[in-house]
Amino acid sequence: MPALEIVLVPALSDNYVYLLHDAASGATAVVDPGEAAPVEAALAERGWKLTHILNTHHHADHIDGNEALKAKYGATLVGPKAEAARIPDMDVTVAEGDTYDFAGHTAQVFDTPGHTTGHISLYFADSDALFPGDTLFSLGCGRMFEGTPAQFWDSLTKLRKLPDTTYIYCGHEYTAANAKFALSIDGDNDALKARAKEIEEQRANGEPTIPSLLGQEKTINPFLRADDPAIAAAVGKPGADPVDVFAAVRKGKDNF
């Protein structure tokens, strides 16, 4: 089966919404529509009809387009079982270990708490595509609004186990700021320095830095490397448990 066609749709000030299109059936899903208008415009431009809405978590900048899109297209709304009380009108709820069939493409569901307690991530192996919402960013991770460091680190290590060929379609264009922080604690990393330069050029040209490649993120994203002695030392935690190192990295970014 051919891979899904994935279209990045900018929304709000720095959100990314994604259209997933199956050419054979014409089915089209949207991931985390923070607002409806850009989605409607992208659909109209391509002559596509929305059939599904996929949510990763309950924050308004990821679900505020749900109601209008559901009303206009009659789309099926799929989201995290653990946030059923916080995302209105879901038709299907999913959780860790579940799969969801979208037009013959199987989404593997991971519970990835940390940013929110009920956050999920969706992985389409046949398209090498991961939709982690605000759990994982290029060179970063989401703020820890509701979860614990242990939960968040477990979520990130879960996603880190996916194949290096996986593309990360995250919820925001935060990469340039994340790169500056990453360089502040990992400035001798040549791969990171090269990627930071590329990011600078992409943003100067008005280009998105997303998707990023998981194999590369594993070597340059400090939030995925809390069990790396170099990162532990950089945040003053040599020999510490990775959960404590992750917490220190997250606190460092919060205050950067």
Coordinates of all heavy atoms in Angstrom, one line a residue, residues 37-111:
A37 N -10.2 27.2 10.0 CA -10.1 27.9 8.7 C -8.9 27.4 7.9 O -9.0 27.2 6.7 CB -10.0 29.4 8.9
P38 N -7.7 27.3 8.4 CA -6.5 26.9 7.6 C -6.7 25.4 7.0 O -6.3 25.1 5.9 CB -5.3 27.0 8.5 CG -5.7 27.8 9.6 CD -7.2 27.7 9.8
V39 N -7.4 24.6 7.8 CA -7.7 23.2 7.4 C -8.6 23.2 6.3 O -8.4 22.5 5.3 CB -8.2 22.4 8.6 CG1 -8.6 21.0 8.2 CG2 -7.2 22.4 9.7
E40 N -9.7 24.0 6.4 CA -10.7 24.1 5.3 C -10.1 24.6 4.0 O -10.4 24.1 3.0 CB -11.9 25.0 5.8 CG -12.7 24.4 6.9 CD -13.7 25.4 7.5 OE1 -13.8 26.5 6.9 OE2 -14.4 25.1 8.5
A41 N -9.2 25.6 4.2 CA -8.6 26.1 3.0 C -7.6 25.1 2.3 O -7.6 25.0 1.1 CB -7.7 27.4 3.3
A42 N -6.9 24.3 3.1 CA -6.0 23.3 2.6 C -6.8 22.2 1.9 O -6.4 21.7 0.9 CB -5.1 22.8 3.7
L43 N -7.9 21.8 2.5 CA -8.8 20.8 1.9 C -9.3 21.3 0.6 O -9.3 20.5 -0.4 CB -9.9 20.4 2.9 CG -9.5 19.7 4.1 CD1 -10.6 19.7 5.1 CD2 -9.1 18.2 3.8
A44 N -9.9 22.5 0.5 CA -10.5 23.0 -0.7 C -9.5 23.1 -1.8 O -9.8 22.8 -3.0 CB -11.1 24.4 -0.4
E45 N -8.2 23.5 -1.5 CA -7.2 23.7 -2.5 C -6.9 22.4 -3.2 O -6.6 22.4 -4.3 CB -5.9 24.2 -1.8 CG -4.7 24.4 -2.7 CD -3.5 24.9 -1.9 OE1 -3.6 25.4 -0.8 OE2 -2.4 24.7 -2.4
R46 N -7.0 21.3 -2.4 CA -6.7 20.0 -3.0 C -7.9 19.2 -3.4 O -7.8 18.1 -4.0 CB -5.9 19.2 -1.9 CG -4.5 19.8 -1.7 CD -3.9 19.3 -0.4 NE -2.5 19.8 -0.3 CZ -2.3 21.1 0.2 NH1 -3.3 21.8 0.6 NH2 -1.1 21.5 0.2
G47 N -9.1 19.7 -3.1 CA -10.3 19.0 -3.5 C -10.6 17.7 -2.6 O -11.2 16.8 -3.1
W48 N -10.1 17.8 -1.4 CA -10.2 16.7 -0.5 C -11.4 16.9 0.5 O -11.7 18.0 0.8 CB -9.0 16.5 0.4 CG -7.8 16.1 -0.4 CD1 -7.7 15.6 -1.7 CD2 -6.4 16.1 0.1 NE1 -6.4 15.4 -2.1 CE2 -5.6 15.6 -1.0 CE3 -5.8 16.4 1.3 CZ2 -4.2 15.5 -0.9 CZ3 -4.4 16.3 1.4 CH2 -3.6 15.8 0.3
K49 N -12.0 15.8 1.0 CA -13.1 15.9 2.0 C -12.6 15.3 3.2 O -12.1 14.1 3.2 CB -14.3 15.1 1.5 CG -15.5 15.2 2.5 CD -16.7 14.4 2.0 CE -17.9 14.5 2.9 NZ -17.6 14.0 4.3
L50 N -12.8 16.0 4.3 CA -12.3 15.5 5.6 C -13.2 14.3 6.1 O -14.4 14.5 6.2 CB -12.3 16.6 6.6 CG -11.6 16.3 8.0 CD1 -10.1 16.2 7.7 CD2 -11.9 17.4 9.0
T51 N -12.5 13.2 6.5 CA -13.3 12.1 7.0 C -13.0 11.8 8.5 O -13.8 11.1 9.1 CB -13.0 10.8 6.2 OG1 -11.6 10.6 6.2 CG2 -13.5 11.0 4.7
H52 N -11.8 12.2 8.9 CA -11.4 11.9 10.3 C -10.7 13.1 11.0 O -10.0 13.8 10.3 CB -10.4 10.7 10.3 CG -11.0 9.4 9.9 ND1 -11.3 9.1 8.5 CD2 -11.4 8.3 10.6 CE1 -11.9 7.9 8.5 NE2 -11.9 7.4 9.7
I53 N -10.8 13.2 12.3 CA -10.1 14.1 13.1 C -9.3 13.3 14.2 O -10.0 12.5 14.9 CB -11.0 15.2 13.8 CG1 -11.8 15.9 12.7 CG2 -10.2 16.1 14.6 CD1 -12.9 16.8 13.3
L54 N -8.0 13.5 14.2 CA -7.2 12.7 15.2 C -6.6 13.7 16.2 O -5.9 14.7 15.8 CB -6.1 12.0 14.5 CG -6.5 11.1 13.3 CD1 -5.2 10.5 12.7 CD2 -7.5 10.0 13.7
N55 N -6.9 13.5 17.5 CA -6.4 14.4 18.6 C -5.4 13.7 19.4 O -5.6 12.5 19.8 CB -7.5 14.9 19.5 CG -8.4 15.9 18.9 OD1 -9.5 16.2 19.4 ND2 -8.0 16.6 17.8
T56 N -4.3 14.4 19.8 CA -3.3 13.8 20.7 C -3.5 14.2 22.1 O -3.1 13.5 23.0 CB -1.9 14.2 20.3 OG1 -1.7 15.6 20.4 CG2 -1.5 13.8 18.9
H57 N -4.1 15.4 22.4 CA -4.3 15.8 23.7 C -5.3 17.0 23.7 O -5.7 17.5 22.7 CB -3.0 16.2 24.5 CG -2.3 17.4 23.9 ND1 -1.7 17.4 22.7 CD2 -2.0 18.6 24.4 CE1 -1.1 18.6 22.5 NE2 -1.3 19.3 23.5
H58 N -5.7 17.4 24.9 CA -6.9 18.3 25.1 C -6.6 19.8 24.9 O -7.6 20.6 25.0 CB -7.5 18.0 26.5 CG -6.7 18.5 27.6 ND1 -6.8 19.8 28.1 CD2 -5.8 17.9 28.4 CE1 -6.0 20.0 29.1 NE2 -5.4 18.8 29.3
H59 N -5.4 20.2 24.8 CA -5.1 21.7 24.8 C -5.9 22.4 23.7 O -5.9 21.8 22.6 CB -3.6 21.9 24.8 CG -3.0 21.7 26.1 ND1 -1.6 21.5 26.2 CD2 -3.4 21.6 27.4 CE1 -1.3 21.3 27.5 NE2 -2.4 21.4 28.2
A60 N -6.3 23.6 24.0 CA -7.2 24.3 23.0 C -6.5 24.5 21.7 O -7.1 24.4 20.6 CB -7.6 25.6 23.6
D61 N -5.2 24.7 21.7 CA -4.5 25.0 20.4 C -4.3 23.7 19.6 O -3.7 23.7 18.5 CB -3.1 25.7 20.6 CG -2.1 24.8 21.4 OD1 -2.6 24.0 22.3 OD2 -0.9 25.0 21.2
H62 N -4.9 22.6 20.0 CA -4.9 21.3 19.3 C -6.3 20.8 19.0 O -6.4 19.9 18.1 CB -4.1 20.3 20.0 CG -2.6 20.5 20.1 ND1 -1.7 19.8 19.3 CD2 -1.9 21.5 20.7 CE1 -0.5 20.3 19.5 NE2 -0.6 21.3 20.4
I63 N -7.3 21.4 19.6 CA -8.6 20.9 19.4 C -9.7 21.9 19.1 O -10.8 21.6 18.8 CB -9.1 20.1 20.6 CG1 -9.4 21.0 21.8 CG2 -8.2 19.0 21.0 CD1 -10.2 20.3 23.0
D64 N -9.3 23.2 19.1 CA -10.4 24.2 18.9 C -11.0 24.2 17.5 O -12.1 24.8 17.4 CB -9.8 25.6 19.1 CG -9.9 26.0 20.6 OD1 -10.4 25.2 21.4 OD2 -9.5 27.2 20.9
G65 N -10.5 23.5 16.5 CA -11.1 23.4 15.2 C -12.0 22.2 15.1 O -12.7 22.0 14.1
N66 N -12.0 21.3 16.2 CA -12.8 20.1 16.1 C -14.3 20.3 15.8 O -14.8 19.7 14.9 CB -12.7 19.3 17.4 CG -11.4 18.6 17.7 OD1 -10.5 18.6 16.9 ND2 -11.3 18.0 18.9
E67 N -14.9 21.2 16.6 CA -16.3 21.3 16.5 C -16.8 21.8 15.1 O -17.7 21.2 14.5 CB -16.8 22.3 17.5 CG -18.3 22.5 17.6 CD -18.8 23.5 18.6 OE1 -18.0 24.1 19.3 OE2 -20.0 23.6 18.8
A68 N -16.1 22.8 14.5 CA -16.5 23.3 13.2 C -16.2 22.3 12.1 O -17.0 22.2 11.2 CB -15.7 24.6 12.9
L69 N -15.1 21.6 12.2 CA -14.8 20.6 11.2 C -15.7 19.4 11.2 O -16.1 18.9 10.2 CB -13.3 20.2 11.3 CG -12.3 21.3 11.1 CD1 -10.9 20.8 11.5 CD2 -12.3 21.7 9.6
K70 N -16.0 19.0 12.4 CA -17.0 17.9 12.6 C -18.3 18.2 12.0 O -19.0 17.4 11.3 CB -17.0 17.5 14.1 CG -17.5 16.1 14.4 CD -17.2 15.8 15.8 CE -17.5 14.3 16.1 NZ -18.8 13.9 16.2
A71 N -18.7 19.5 12.3 CA -20.0 19.9 11.8 C -20.1 20.0 10.3 O -21.1 19.7 9.7 CB -20.4 21.3 12.5
K72 N -19.0 20.6 9.7 CA -19.0 20.8 8.3 C -18.9 19.5 7.5 O -19.5 19.4 6.4 CB -17.9 21.8 7.9 CG -17.8 22.1 6.5 CD -16.8 23.2 6.2 CE -16.8 23.6 4.7 NZ -15.9 24.8 4.5
Y73 N -18.0 18.6 7.9 CA -17.7 17.4 7.1 C -18.2 16.1 7.7 O -18.2 15.1 7.0 CB -16.2 17.3 7.0 CG -15.5 18.5 6.4 CD1 -14.8 19.4 7.2 CD2 -15.5 18.6 5.0 CE1 -14.2 20.5 6.6 CE2 -14.8 19.7 4.4 CZ -14.2 20.7 5.2 OH -13.6 21.7 4.6
G74 N -18.8 16.1 8.9 CA -19.2 14.9 9.5 C -18.1 13.9 9.8 O -18.3 12.7 9.8
A75 N -16.9 14.4 10.1 CA -15.8 13.6 10.3 C -15.8 12.8 11.6 O -16.4 13.3 12.6 CB -14.5 14.5 10.3
T76 N -15.2 11.7 11.7 CA -15.1 10.9 12.9 C -14.0 11.4 13.7 O -12.8 11.5 13.3 CB -14.8 9.4 12.5 OG1 -15.9 8.9 11.7 CG2 -14.6 8.5 13.7
L77 N -14.3 11.7 15.0 CA -13.3 12.3 15.9 C -12.7 11.2 16.8 O -13.4 10.5 17.5 CB -13.9 13.3 16.8 CG -13.1 14.0 17.9 CD1 -11.8 14.6 17.3 CD2 -13.9 15.1 18.6
V78 N -11.4 11.0 16.7 CA -10.6 10.0 17.5 C -9.7 10.7 18.4 O -9.0 11.6 18.0 CB -9.9 9.1 16.5 CG1 -9.2 8.0 17.2 CG2 -10.8 8.5 15.4
G79 N -9.6 10.2 19.6 CA -8.7 10.9 20.6 C -8.4 10.0 21.8 O -8.8 8.8 21.9
P80 N -7.6 10.5 22.7 CA -7.2 9.7 23.9 C -8.3 9.4 24.9 O -9.0 10.2 25.3 CB -6.1 10.6 24.5 CG -6.4 12.0 24.1 CD -7.1 11.9 22.7
K81 N -8.3 8.1 25.2 CA -9.3 7.6 26.1 C -9.2 8.3 27.5 O -10.2 8.7 28.1 CB -9.2 6.1 26.3 CG -10.2 5.5 27.2 CD -10.0 3.9 27.3 CE -10.3 3.3 25.9 NZ -10.2 1.8 26.0
A82 N -7.9 8.6 27.9 CA -7.7 9.2 29.2 C -8.1 10.7 29.3 O -8.1 11.3 30.3 CB -6.2 9.1 29.5
E83 N -8.4 11.3 28.1 CA -8.9 12.7 28.1 C -10.3 12.8 27.6 O -10.7 13.9 27.1 CB -7.9 13.5 27.3 CG -6.5 13.5 27.9 CD -5.5 14.6 27.5 OE1 -5.8 15.3 26.6 OE2 -4.5 14.7 28.2
A84 N -11.1 11.7 27.7 CA -12.4 11.7 27.2 C -13.3 12.8 27.9 O -14.2 13.3 27.3 CB -13.1 10.3 27.5
A85 N -13.0 13.1 29.1 CA -13.7 14.2 29.8 C -13.3 15.6 29.4 O -14.0 16.5 29.8 CB -13.6 14.0 31.3
R86 N -12.2 15.7 28.7 CA -11.7 17.0 28.4 C -11.7 17.3 26.9 O -11.4 18.5 26.5 CB -10.3 17.1 28.9 CG -10.2 16.9 30.4 CD -9.0 17.5 31.1 NE -7.8 16.6 30.9 CZ -6.7 16.8 31.5 NH1 -6.5 17.9 32.2 NH2 -5.7 16.0 31.3
I87 N -12.1 16.4 26.0 CA -12.2 16.6 24.6 C -13.7 16.2 24.2 O -14.0 15.1 24.3 CB -11.2 15.7 23.8 CG1 -9.8 16.1 24.1 CG2 -11.5 16.0 22.3 CD1 -8.8 15.2 23.4
P88 N -14.5 17.2 23.9 CA -15.9 16.9 23.7 C -16.2 16.1 22.4 O -15.4 16.2 21.4 CB -16.5 18.4 23.5 CG -15.5 19.3 24.1 CD -14.2 18.7 23.9
D89 N -17.2 15.3 22.5 CA -17.8 14.7 21.3 C -16.9 13.7 20.5 O -17.0 13.6 19.3 CB -18.3 15.7 20.3 CG -19.4 16.6 20.9 OD1 -20.2 16.1 21.7 OD2 -19.4 17.8 20.6
M90 N -16.0 13.0 21.3 CA -15.1 12.0 20.6 C -16.0 10.8 20.2 O -16.9 10.4 21.0 CB -14.0 11.6 21.4 CG -12.9 12.6 21.5 SD -11.3 11.9 22.2 CE -11.7 11.7 23.9
D91 N -15.8 10.3 19.0 CA -16.5 9.1 18.5 C -15.8 7.8 18.9 O -16.4 6.8 19.1 CB -16.7 9.2 17.0 CG -17.5 10.4 16.6 OD1 -18.7 10.6 17.0 OD2 -16.9 11.3 15.9
V92 N -14.5 7.9 18.9 CA -13.6 6.8 19.2 C -12.5 7.2 20.1 O -11.9 8.2 19.9 CB -13.0 6.2 17.9 CG1 -12.1 5.0 18.2 CG2 -14.0 5.8 16.8
T93 N -12.3 6.4 21.2 CA -11.2 6.7 22.1 C -10.2 5.6 22.1 O -10.6 4.4 22.0 CB -11.7 6.9 23.5 OG1 -12.4 5.8 24.0 CG2 -12.6 8.1 23.6
V94 N -8.9 5.9 22.2 CA -7.9 4.9 22.0 C -6.8 5.1 23.1 O -6.7 6.2 23.7 CB -7.2 5.0 20.7 CG1 -8.1 4.5 19.6 CG2 -6.7 6.4 20.4
A95 N -6.1 4.1 23.4 CA -5.1 4.1 24.5 C -3.9 3.2 24.1 O -4.0 2.5 23.1 CB -5.7 3.7 25.8
E96 N -2.9 3.1 25.0 CA -1.7 2.3 24.8 C -2.1 0.9 24.4 O -3.0 0.3 25.0 CB -1.0 2.2 26.2 CG 0.3 1.4 26.1 CD 1.5 2.1 25.5 OE1 1.5 3.3 25.5 OE2 2.3 1.3 25.0
G97 N -1.4 0.4 23.4 CA -1.7 -0.9 22.9 C -2.8 -1.1 21.8 O -2.9 -2.1 21.2
D98 N -3.6 0.0 21.7 CA -4.6 0.0 20.7 C -4.0 0.3 19.3 O -2.9 0.9 19.2 CB -5.7 1.0 20.9 CG -6.6 0.7 22.1 OD1 -6.6 -0.5 22.5 OD2 -7.2 1.6 22.6
T99 N -4.7 -0.1 18.3 CA -4.4 0.3 16.9 C -5.7 0.9 16.4 O -6.8 0.6 16.8 CB -3.9 -0.8 16.0 OG1 -4.9 -1.8 15.9 CG2 -2.6 -1.4 16.5
Y100 N -5.5 1.8 15.4 CA -6.7 2.4 14.8 C -6.4 2.4 13.3 O -5.4 2.8 12.8 CB -6.9 3.9 15.2 CG -8.1 4.5 14.6 CD1 -9.4 4.2 15.1 CD2 -8.1 5.3 13.5 CE1 -10.5 4.7 14.5 CE2 -9.2 5.9 12.9 CZ -10.4 5.5 13.4 OH -11.6 6.0 12.9
D101 N -7.4 1.8 12.6 CA -7.3 1.7 11.1 C -7.9 2.9 10.4 O -9.1 3.2 10.5 CB -8.1 0.4 10.7 CG -8.0 0.2 9.2 OD1 -8.7 0.9 8.4 OD2 -7.1 -0.6 8.7
F102 N -7.0 3.6 9.7 CA -7.4 4.8 8.9 C -7.2 4.4 7.5 O -6.1 4.4 7.0 CB -6.6 6.0 9.3 CG -6.8 7.1 8.3 CD1 -8.0 7.8 8.1 CD2 -5.7 7.5 7.5 CE1 -8.2 8.7 7.2 CE2 -5.9 8.6 6.6 CZ -7.1 9.2 6.4
A103 N -8.3 4.1 6.8 CA -8.3 3.8 5.4 C -7.2 2.7 5.0 O -6.5 2.8 4.0 CB -8.0 5.0 4.6
G104 N -7.1 1.7 5.9 CA -6.1 0.6 5.6 C -4.7 0.9 6.2 O -3.9 0.0 6.1
H105 N -4.5 2.1 6.7 CA -3.2 2.4 7.3 C -3.4 2.3 8.9 O -4.3 2.9 9.4 CB -2.8 3.9 7.0 CG -2.7 4.1 5.5 ND1 -1.6 4.0 4.8 CD2 -3.7 4.5 4.6 CE1 -1.8 4.2 3.5 NE2 -3.1 4.5 3.4
T106 N -2.5 1.5 9.5 CA -2.7 1.2 10.9 C -1.9 2.2 11.7 O -0.7 2.4 11.6 CB -2.2 -0.2 11.2 OG1 -3.0 -1.1 10.5 CG2 -2.3 -0.5 12.7
A107 N -2.6 2.9 12.6 CA -2.0 3.8 13.6 C -1.8 3.0 14.9 O -2.7 2.5 15.4 CB -2.8 5.0 13.8
Q108 N -0.5 2.9 15.3 CA -0.2 2.4 16.6 C -0.3 3.4 17.6 O 0.2 4.5 17.4 CB 1.2 1.7 16.6 CG 1.6 1.0 17.9 CD 2.9 0.3 17.7 OE1 3.5 0.3 16.7 NE2 3.4 -0.2 18.8
V109 N -1.0 3.2 18.7 CA -1.2 4.2 19.8 C -0.3 4.0 21.0 O -0.2 2.9 21.5 CB -2.7 4.1 20.3 CG1 -3.0 5.2 21.3 CG2 -3.7 4.3 19.1
F110 N 0.4 5.1 21.4 CA 1.2 5.1 22.6 C 0.6 6.1 23.6 O 0.3 7.2 23.2 CB 2.6 5.5 22.3 CG 3.3 4.5 21.3 CD1 3.5 4.9 20.0 CD2 3.9 3.3 21.7 CE1 4.2 4.1 19.1 CE2 4.5 2.5 20.9 CZ 4.7 2.9 19.5
D111 N 0.5 5.6 24.8 CA 0.2 6.6 25.9 C 1.5 7.3 26.2 O 2.5 6.7 26.5 CB -0.3 5.9 27.2 CG -1.7 5.5 27.1 OD1 -2.4 6.0 26.2 OD2 -2.1 4.6 27.9

